[in-house]
Amino acid sequence: MENSAFIALGSNLGIRYDYLMNAIKLLKHDTKIQLVNISSIYETDPVGYEDQDLFLNMVIEIKTDYNAQELLDVCLNTEAKLGRKREIKWGPRTIDLDILLFNQENIETEKLMVPHPRMHERAFVLIPLLEIQSDLFIPRMEKPLKTYLNELADKEGVRVWKQKNGEDVSGPIEN
């Protein structure tokens, strides 16, 4: 697998944990995707549209033979299979998959921007991302991601919900 990517997953409708795990299972069953690493799962306060339930968020690292646009299509199809409806910007969702990073590429198309344009402003993305890759430095950003995280004020809105520890999180994903 030639490409490396980090994907943020989030859910705040229904059985949130199951939506996260089912999204990972769908990605893992794709022969062009290999799961490399997963973060702990964090319960987070909503951002943007705040009149909604708490989210579960996590980040996964994958290797893939897809290019970035193809991977976006896979993510959108995975969301659709799991009942994602886009009714309110930043609103409630069964599952959300966002490509944060794709190799060290800068991609700007009508449908895809990588690195994700707001990731450095969101503790619910940075905390799980830095958990699995603590020394990330992003092209076009002046500072390491740790510095952006240290400057954020909303870190208390991100709490560990299910700690990653070998079989604890990956057990159900193996099925």
Side-chain angles (χ1 to χ4, degrees):
M1 310 256 165
E2 68 180 67
N3 297 308
S4 176
F6 290 88
I7 300 172
L9 293 85
S11 174
N12 78 331
L13 285 178
I15 304 172
R16 305 169 299 168
Y17 177 78
D18 287 354
Y19 282 116
L20 295 176
M21 294 303 105
N22 287 333
I24 292 171
K25 284 179 195 172
L26 288 170
L27 294 173
K28 275 187 62 172
H29 284 101
D30 188 309
T31 58
K32 292 187 174 187
I33 295 175
Q34 174 190 349
L35 184 64
V36 175
N37 204 349
I38 63 173
S39 72
S40 298
I41 300 171
Y42 295 83
E43 188 168 61
T44 63
D45 297 338
V47 172
Y49 178 70
E50 295 180 7
D51 187 21
Q52 58 182 321
D53 292 334
L54 299 176
F55 279 84
L56 289 184
N57 291 98
M58 66 185 304
V59 171
I60 62 172
E61 179 183 5
I62 65 165
K63 298 279 186 201
T64 183
D65 286 332
Y66 289 121
N67 66 36
Q69 185 59 53
E70 292 167 334
L71 181 60
L72 175 63
D73 292 340
V74 169
C75 289
L76 293 173
N77 288 336
T78 300
E79 289 178 351
K81 286 178 188 172
L82 295 174
R84 169 80 190 264
K85 292 179 177 46
R86 296 174 186 274
E87 295 166 341
I88 301 171
K89 183 172 179 142
W90 296 323
R93 63 207 65 175
T94 55
I95 192 71
D96 184 33
L97 301 174
D98 286 329
I99 300 170
L100 302 174
L101 301 167
F102 193 86
N103 299 325
Q104 286 291 307
E105 295 177 28
N106 290 316
I107 302 167
E108 289 189 39
T109 69
E110 189 176 309
K111 293 183 177 183
L112 179 64
M113 290 189 67
V114 175
H116 190 284
R118 289 173 303 282
M119 64 186 262
H120 66 286
E121 301 168 358
R122 296 179 170 167
F124 67 85
V125 171
L126 290 180
I127 290 172
L129 177 60
L130 289 168
E131 176 188 331
I132 59 176
Q133 188 69 267
S134 63
D135 58 351
L136 276 173
F137 190 88
I138 308 303
R140 287 195 301 181
M141 293 188 178
E142 307 108 38
K143 307 175 262 192
L145 283 183
K146 277 184 191 173
T147 305
Y148 287 101
L149 178 61
N150 291 335
E151 294 170 353
L152 290 178
D154 68 344
K155 292 187 288 286
E156 65 278 353
V158 180
R159 301 159 298 278
V160 172
W161 186 80
K162 188 168 183 71
Q163 184 71 41
K164 172 186 162 181
N165 68 6
E167 62 193 71
D168 187 30
V169 172
S170 63
I173 298 169
E174 298 302 320
N175 296 333

